mmCIF file of all heavy atoms in Angstrom:
data_model
loop_
_atom_site.group_PDB
_atom_site.id
_atom_site.type_symbol
_atom_site.label_atom_id
_atom_site.label_comp_id
_atom_site.label_asym_id
_atom_site.label_seq_id
_atom_site.Cartn_x
_atom_site.Cartn_y
_atom_site.Cartn_z
ATOM 1 N N SER A 217 -12.321 -0.248 20.397
ATOM 2 C CA SER A 217 -13.113 0.323 21.582
ATOM 3 C C SER A 217 -14.562 0.797 21.043
ATOM 4 O O SER A 217 -15.373 1.030 21.958
ATOM 5 C CB SER A 217 -12.408 1.470 22.145
ATOM 6 O OG SER A 217 -12.093 2.447 21.040
ATOM 7 N N THR A 218 -14.755 0.932 19.729
ATOM 8 C CA THR A 218 -16.042 1.280 19.241
ATOM 9 C C THR A 218 -17.166 0.235 19.497
ATOM 10 O O THR A 218 -18.330 0.512 19.349
ATOM 11 C CB THR A 218 -15.992 1.654 17.701
ATOM 12 O OG1 THR A 218 -15.579 0.509 17.033
ATOM 13 C CG2 THR A 218 -14.963 2.825 17.544
ATOM 14 N N PHE A 219 -16.684 -0.952 19.895
ATOM 15 C CA PHE A 219 -17.720 -1.951 20.199
ATOM 16 C C PHE A 219 -18.284 -1.738 21.521
ATOM 17 O O PHE A 219 -19.256 -2.489 21.987
ATOM 18 C CB PHE A 219 -17.048 -3.431 20.172
ATOM 19 C CG PHE A 219 -16.725 -3.892 18.762
ATOM 20 C CD1 PHE A 219 -15.647 -3.414 18.063
ATOM 21 C CD2 PHE A 219 -17.636 -4.608 18.106
ATOM 22 C CE1 PHE A 219 -15.333 -3.864 16.822
ATOM 23 C CE2 PHE A 219 -17.267 -5.106 16.793
ATOM 24 C CZ PHE A 219 -16.184 -4.698 16.184
ATOM 25 N N PHE A 220 -17.685 -0.801 22.361
ATOM 26 C CA PHE A 220 -18.197 -0.575 23.746
ATOM 27 C C PHE A 220 -18.792 0.723 23.827
ATOM 28 O O PHE A 220 -18.472 1.635 23.083
ATOM 29 C CB PHE A 220 -16.996 -0.751 24.765
ATOM 30 C CG PHE A 220 -16.362 -2.157 24.671
ATOM 31 C CD1 PHE A 220 -15.369 -2.390 23.729
ATOM 32 C CD2 PHE A 220 -16.711 -3.084 25.588
ATOM 33 C CE1 PHE A 220 -14.728 -3.692 23.668
ATOM 34 C CE2 PHE A 220 -16.203 -4.338 25.561
ATOM 35 C CZ PHE A 220 -15.153 -4.624 24.611
ATOM 36 N N PRO A 221 -19.572 1.052 24.879
ATOM 37 C CA PRO A 221 -20.143 2.424 25.141
ATOM 38 C C PRO A 221 -19.048 3.435 25.452
ATOM 39 O O PRO A 221 -17.850 3.030 25.792
ATOM 40 C CB PRO A 221 -20.973 2.190 26.374
ATOM 41 C CG PRO A 221 -21.339 0.749 26.437
ATOM 42 C CD PRO A 221 -20.124 0.033 25.823
ATOM 43 N N GLU A 222 -19.228 4.622 25.196
ATOM 44 C CA GLU A 222 -18.148 5.600 25.196
ATOM 45 C C GLU A 222 -17.544 5.729 26.589
ATOM 46 O O GLU A 222 -16.328 6.056 26.649
ATOM 47 C CB GLU A 222 -18.758 7.067 24.838
ATOM 48 C CG GLU A 222 -19.071 7.049 23.349
ATOM 49 C CD GLU A 222 -19.453 8.524 22.941
ATOM 50 O OE1 GLU A 222 -19.249 9.444 23.736
ATOM 51 O OE2 GLU A 222 -19.868 8.730 21.764
ATOM 52 N N PHE A 223 -18.308 5.511 27.614
ATOM 53 C CA PHE A 223 -17.706 5.640 28.978
ATOM 54 C C PHE A 223 -16.703 4.544 29.341
ATOM 55 O O PHE A 223 -15.957 4.708 30.283
ATOM 56 C CB PHE A 223 -18.896 5.730 30.036
ATOM 57 C CG PHE A 223 -19.581 4.433 30.352
ATOM 58 C CD1 PHE A 223 -19.102 3.500 31.235
ATOM 59 C CD2 PHE A 223 -20.678 4.038 29.585
ATOM 60 C CE1 PHE A 223 -19.741 2.295 31.424
ATOM 61 C CE2 PHE A 223 -21.321 2.909 29.778
ATOM 62 C CZ PHE A 223 -20.902 1.947 30.667
ATOM 63 N N LEU A 224 -16.757 3.447 28.558
ATOM 64 C CA LEU A 224 -15.789 2.355 28.715
ATOM 65 C C LEU A 224 -14.525 2.520 27.919
ATOM 66 O O LEU A 224 -13.471 1.884 28.193
ATOM 67 C CB LEU A 224 -16.421 0.940 28.484
ATOM 68 C CG LEU A 224 -17.533 0.550 29.518
ATOM 69 C CD1 LEU A 224 -18.087 -0.772 29.040
ATOM 70 C CD2 LEU A 224 -16.905 0.526 30.915
ATOM 71 N N ARG A 225 -14.533 3.269 26.950
ATOM 72 C CA ARG A 225 -13.483 3.334 25.898
ATOM 73 C C ARG A 225 -12.181 3.866 26.526
ATOM 74 O O ARG A 225 -11.094 3.345 26.174
ATOM 75 C CB ARG A 225 -13.879 4.376 24.819
ATOM 76 C CG ARG A 225 -15.022 3.690 23.924
ATOM 77 C CD ARG A 225 -15.467 4.606 22.801
ATOM 78 N NE ARG A 225 -16.685 3.918 22.178
ATOM 79 C CZ ARG A 225 -17.332 4.529 21.211
ATOM 80 N NH1 ARG A 225 -16.959 5.685 20.692
ATOM 81 N NH2 ARG A 225 -18.458 3.954 20.687
ATOM 82 N N PRO A 226 -12.142 4.841 27.514
ATOM 83 C CA PRO A 226 -10.817 5.118 28.043
ATOM 84 C C PRO A 226 -10.141 3.946 28.756
ATOM 85 O O PRO A 226 -8.928 3.906 28.922
ATOM 86 C CB PRO A 226 -11.166 6.205 29.128
ATOM 87 C CG PRO A 226 -12.488 6.845 28.663
ATOM 88 C CD PRO A 226 -13.186 5.687 27.926
ATOM 89 N N ILE A 227 -10.997 2.945 29.244
ATOM 90 C CA ILE A 227 -10.417 1.723 29.785
ATOM 91 C C ILE A 227 -9.967 0.762 28.771
ATOM 92 O O ILE A 227 -8.960 0.070 28.892
ATOM 93 C CB ILE A 227 -11.432 1.126 30.767
ATOM 94 C CG1 ILE A 227 -11.857 2.214 31.863
ATOM 95 C CG2 ILE A 227 -10.883 -0.154 31.372
ATOM 96 C CD1 ILE A 227 -12.928 1.599 32.726
ATOM 97 N N ILE A 228 -10.731 0.716 27.682
ATOM 98 C CA ILE A 228 -10.445 -0.336 26.641
ATOM 99 C C ILE A 228 -9.330 0.031 25.807
ATOM 100 O O ILE A 228 -8.453 -0.813 25.378
ATOM 101 C CB ILE A 228 -11.754 -0.508 25.787
ATOM 102 C CG1 ILE A 228 -12.963 -1.015 26.606
ATOM 103 C CG2 ILE A 228 -11.549 -1.514 24.698
ATOM 104 C CD1 ILE A 228 -12.710 -2.394 27.275
#
Side-chain angles (χ1 to χ4, degrees):
S217 59
T218 60
F219 288 83
F220 299 86
E222 290 189 9
F223 70 90
L224 291 176
R225 293 178 187 178
I227 303 174
I228 300 298

